[in-house]
Amino acid sequence: MSTKTAEAFDLLQWEGVDDDLLGSVSAPSPVLPSNPSPKSSTLTQPTNNASAAQPQQDLLSLLEDDPRPILDQPLLPVTFNLPQPLIPTQTLSLSPRLGTSFRPVSSLSFASSSVTSSSTATESSHEVKVPPVERDPYLVPRQYQVELFRKAEAGNVIAVMDTGSGKTLVAVMLIREMLRREREAQRGPEKRKISFFIVNNVPLVFQQAAVIRSNCDAEVTMLCGAMETKKYSNELWDEMYKKVDVVVLTAQILLDLFRHGFVKMFRVNLLIFDECHHARKDHPFCCIMKEFYHVSDLENSQRPKVFGMTASPSSDIGSKLKHSAIELEDLMDAKVFTVDQDDVRQYVERPLEFVAQFNPPPTYRNTMLTSSLRSKCVMSPRLSLIVESVQSNLSHLGPWCVDSLLRVNVENMARRDGGVKQIPEEIRTAFEVVKSWTFPSPVVNIKQMSPKVMKLIQILRVAGKSWTKDFCGIIFVQQRDTAIALCLLLQELDEFRDIFRVQVLAGHSDESDSVLKMKFQEQNAIISNFRSKFYNLLVATSVAEEGLDIQPCNVVIRFDPVTTTISHIQSRGRARQMNSRYIMMMEFENRREEAALEKIQFGEKSMRDWCHGLDADRLMKKPVNSDEDEGTELMDLTPAQSYRVPTTGALLTLDSAIPLLHYYCSSLTGDEFCSLRPEFSVTPTGSFGFVCDLTLPPNAPVRIVQSDRTSTKQMARKSAAFKACELLHSLKALSDNLLPVVVEEVNGDSPVESRPVEATDKNHSYPYTCPEIWKQDPMDTDTSVALHRCIIEMDECDVERLGGSHRFRRMCILTRQPLPDAIAPIRLYLGGAGRLVNIKSRPPPVTANKQQLILFQKYTLLLFQRICRKSFECTLETMPYFVVPLCTWEKFSKSETTLIDAKQDISWEDIESGQSVQPDLVPIREDEVEQALQTTILALRKDPNREFFFKTIVTGYKMQDLMPPDAFRHELAAWDESLAKVRSHAKLLAASSAAATPSSPEATTTNSSPSYLSKPDLLTEGGAAPASAAVPRTFAAYFKWRFQVDCEDGDMIIMVDRVRKMRNHLQPAVREEEAKEEAGAMMMPLKACVRGTIKTDILRMAQLIPSILFSLDQTLLVCEARALHGLGQIRMDHLQEAFTTSSSNRDYQYERLELLGDSFLKFSSTIRLYIVNPAKDEGQLHASRIRIISNRALLGHATDLELYRYISSTPFHRKSWRPPHFTVDTNEWESVQQHKLSNKTLADVIEASLGAAFLSGGFTVAFQAAKSLRIPFDEFATWSDFKRVFLEAKVVKEATRRGEEGSGAPSSLAPAPLSVANLAAIQEVQKILGYEFKDPSLFFEAMTHASHIRADAVCYQRLEFLGDAVLDFQVIRYYYEKYHDAPPGVITLIKDASVNNGILGAISLKWGLQKFLNHYSPSLIGAIARAMTSLEERASRSPTGELEKEYWVDISMPKVLGDLVESTLGAVFVDSGFDFDLITDLFRRLIKPFLDKHVNFEGMVLHPNKVLLESLQYQGCNNFKFDTEVAEQVSSSEKLLKKLGLGMKRSTNEARNHDDGEPALKCHFKIHGRIMATAVGKHMEDLRKEVAVATLAILKKDPGQLATLCTCPKKRGARHVSMLDRYRQE
């Protein structure tokens, strides 16, 4: 032995460890750097006279003379024979000389089907970190890769090449070639083919997609089970075939796609199988080829090209290896090709292999922590399993590692159970023991560590000193417990803290109590950090062996022995750096481990020999004398039994039946208390084989299926599952793609689903027309025309409140067609309150000649011109109606009048006087009585367009009296302001005249007064100069200035109100308008006035006419819709409310009706679906209902019925209003206009119409309205048909069950006799409900949970689905009637507080329904017991001993309890024959009193989120939001490891230590961008609640903080009050 080698061995002993315990580190004989094939030799113990001819530095040297960390001479061999290493391994990534390199990290999102490698790196559960691959446009493959590519072009190939030798590049080259061929073929979307790159595990999906995307221009997408992408969709795959070139996916996903008919083999041009050696037995690789490639109905031209990649075709040895390789060739329809190793070695680096031996472990006693746990804790199966599992590592790892594992496992169980106070007693005790235990720091001695661990530490000491800066290593172990223990140990050793940055890499565990469950995102994050040198040492399980692109290492240590040849090749391939080392640890003189290693290396040599021995034509024959078992003959490539769906081509086989059945059961609706899976019971049938009885969950449409008799148990299970899947497909529980029928794939329930309705809620323009009654042919004015009268008059009570009947004249609308009789009174807002105006048709019609028609026309046009202040034009022939005044009779006679009387109703005198708008300029005589002035419109003599209502005569003042300043301060102020303007203007004129001569141009310009000063109304309001300051301020002087009249001392002074512009009387006036009206009174002399051409009572009423006609048009449109769509049973006022949106600004709108109608629609549709779909479970029924009641479906009905033509969505506006056919300022009238409506508005009108129908005539009228509005009720004509159809279906079902098809004997419906226990149970419940069941089976169905395993049990979920709709409608209806003025949002709040899981659970316990629950769930027993205990404790703390208010709010109620209430209501409803009145009575007797006692607006407990948002809105703030981000820029698994003490040590600034171990999300609440509170965890709902509570506490503690933060503009007069608080105040 050389000096340095001897020093290296001395170093191992200097570490303070007895060599007798540890053994030696040994290796094969010297190997040259070029790695020639070494020769076998007899291995002996190291001696001092060993060859030292090569003075290179050693891995285990002291590095005292040469600091280079390179080993060129291995140690001497061990004392047993081992075959020498056969093939070196090159890097897995593309060679750097090809211009391709890997960067540390990139992020690929799989939220969509197409992902680019340049995506921004973000941390979320929807993203994966993989190495980006830079694309080289001048990529030059190696010569052997080109040759292999040519072989793959010509035929199907299995490439057997070492890891890193470039198999993936050949695959990329093949993809590019197939892409070129596909583009040249120019096939359409219906015939276009795509390529599939198939991998065995999820991380490889993203890794290989990145390589393909970076080396060719193909459109690449990714699919795997962990992605949320919708994989099973015809729409998705139609789009895939149009746009995608390559799909990288896991094998199971592709198999499912083939089996469900979404992918056809003839639409595939290339199948690439990564690590194809897995294609054995029932692996998806094998199933894909057997079931879909090797089928007789597929022609050779339709089969795709196949390319397989593997490091070894098999782990077998000898003749079995050859046989397995041929079998793989037959299965893949391909030939094995390999590469000459001499060609590969010039591109790759090969590690040197070593064996490090250690002595057997001593016998350790149980650690003190283990003994303490066993003595202090009750060893439940769960805890005992953990302790025993950890204890099994005692001899393997040593006492220190065992104690560390116990600590980690116990703390993990405590965390998973949700906290110390709620976990089981034995776990809590164990947690307290561990928490109080003192764990010593590790010391490298035999008392704390096993010899194997001590040997590992020695190797790492030397390796750390050899590679001080660039160390990169992996320790391979078999168990994740071993990985965690070693990571903990290496982290705690002080000597390694500055050398090694350790992390664990493991796969995902299915064990519930497993400490470490790594998802593929977390694996890729760790690999990325390992590549970037953030970590430099991984302790990894077998997950790091295959496929993952891990950083090439310079040291790889096999802590646990390898088990297969492929595992050996792959783990060795991780040591790919120059002069790397591959060290296998082996117990000294352990013959079993020695033999296993010898077998593995011999198997590798056998595989290489076989590959290189293949002849040119690649043909091999089967072994003649096989010494293998009978099961080794070539596989049968044709499925034994299959079922193909003709419409889709989906295939069911015996192999796929069981997985499909499990998938179907998992899709059924369940809860945390049941496990929905099929149960197989196999029984032998004598000597003739086995039969399997299959039982499906209680909510499946098929319960029991028996298999055919088979020869094996497994075949019996497959046969039963196959039959069950066929039955489920026949019952439409499986779709034609052989997938569970879920929300996206429910068929036949909505006839409108095929129409392309836009789902987004956007505003669209829709036509809006005037009523058809105004669209008539022109009148024939040459003959007399019959006109129908419609009287408009103010309600008598409102007239009296407004001053008497003399103030508002009754008006008449004359129309050519009679108006409907059912026109509801119109509410107008006048005088600060709502006033009713009645519109009544009065027969008989009035016959008018052409002269009278012309009078009517002119009067109507001038009347509208006067009130609208616009010039209207309309020909006589097209006039839609005439508006004329009636006589001033006190009341109309209620008896039928004659034609002459009808004509006399019209005030012809007023019509004739109204033929002009210009008043008579004759002054009004002052001797006219005040009563005459009350009926006269006054106009200014100088400006007749300014009109006034007479108010009163001013007495006590004469014209020469001075105006009192206190009484007339506003008038005097205006007078003074005008005088000041005149004086200022006079000074300006004087200054201008002095500054310029008259002859100069400047003088001409200056002497001209500015335009803004030359207007007469700025000099004085009336045009006359105001009195000077010396003139006394008398009334006469004031009127001279204001009205330009000379008044004498005896002239009358009057007060008047100005006639204002037309305004919208359909909504309350805003405060500014009311203030203007109050300030409209003014004083003037009677001498300045002339008499107008219209009476005051007519003008007052006429000012209301535009608002009345606007509302009348809306009413007429609704009348048309009512008649056209069969809604005649609905009250007109209710229906008009249903067709009015909030944007119309009316005092009514549809929102309350929409809430009621939505609930009725859900209620009635649920009944129909329950009856016509007896085989569907709750989830499928829910999906079907969604398709019926969704806004998308209702939008389709609304657009088909063209309801948008009748909806009132625009408010009245005086500037835009005009009667039909009227022309304004030459702008022609358009009969069809456009208005904006959202999709939701159209859907809401349907629901509001149903609510109006229910209010008009109850459930029968609402049901008929639903049918008229095209809600699918095809099987039912009336409500009573629900009972008839249900009973008929029940008879048929019972007859089928009894084998009496077609028999409808009533006896078949007779219930089975009840047992004594069942009889007592149902009698007790009947007493509680006050109802006697006709069919007791419905009650027992309502009490049966999904966990019940009896074959004849039927789960309550269908009845619960029905009862939920029944209860929802009853509650909505009750609160709608109780709070008749509450807005819908408030009703929704109290409804949510009345039907949530907590209150229903409380009602269930009050009724005692839990006593009758049939289930088989131990956890449900505990959950119900905890809820009852909490209620008892709550009641004991109450002063009255009773539970008050919402006592259930903070009590965890199992959802099952609430379900029992709903299922019971559903059972009663069905049993009563869907009797609406009966279920209403039951609700009012049993549930309403409970709600009245415990739920009300005053004490209602709102969710903190709701409280916070409404509180901010109340204070006028609108800039706030919940904001979510990834908790930290590290993986969740990394956080868990750090919690356990594993991985890199970080400061508190870098990473936060969380109690739950694996937080994923961070939620903030922000106000104006400032973060108020933050919470970190896994569940978004909990996080939002937490930050809401924290923010409320902050704002409560510092109320002024919001005022400092908020800069939102506060609207003047706005009421920033929450909806609930506002209603409480009102």
Side-chain angles (χ1 to χ4, degrees), residues 431-444:
F431 179 77
E432 292 173 351
V433 170
V434 168
K435 186 177 179 181
S436 61
W437 197 263
T438 301
F439 292 91
S441 299
V443 178
V444 184

Side-chain angles (χ1 to χ4, degrees), residues 174-191:
L174 191 57
I175 289 172
R176 293 169 66 176
E177 172 62 20
M178 300 308 296
L179 182 60
R180 181 192 65 80
R181 294 182 186 180
E182 191 64 30
R183 290 171 176 171
E184 289 180 355
Q186 295 183 346
R187 286 186 278 261
E190 296 79 13
K191 297 183 179 180

Side-chain angles (χ1 to χ4, degrees), residues 1396-1467:
N1396 58 58
N1397 184 62
I1399 187 173
L1400 294 183
I1403 293 174
S1404 181
L1405 293 175
K1406 184 175 184 294
W1407 292 357
L1409 296 181
Q1410 77 281 358
K1411 297 182 293 184
F1412 314 108
L1413 177 62
N1414 298 317
H1415 70 95
Y1416 283 87
S1417 173
S1419 58
L1420 179 55
I1421 296 175
I1424 294 175
R1426 286 191 292 271
M1428 296 180 67
T1429 301
S1430 299
L1431 290 180
E1432 292 172 358
E1433 293 176 353
R1434 181 70 51 84
S1436 64
R1437 293 195 300 267
S1438 173
T1440 62
E1442 295 184 358
L1443 295 168
E1444 300 176 349
K1445 297 183 178 180
E1446 297 182 48
Y1447 60 83
W1448 54 83
V1449 169
D1450 54 353
I1451 295 177
S1452 178
M1453 293 283 187
K1455 183 179 180 297
V1456 175
L1457 293 176
D1459 292 346
L1460 290 179
V1461 175
E1462 293 174 333
S1463 63
T1464 301
L1465 292 177

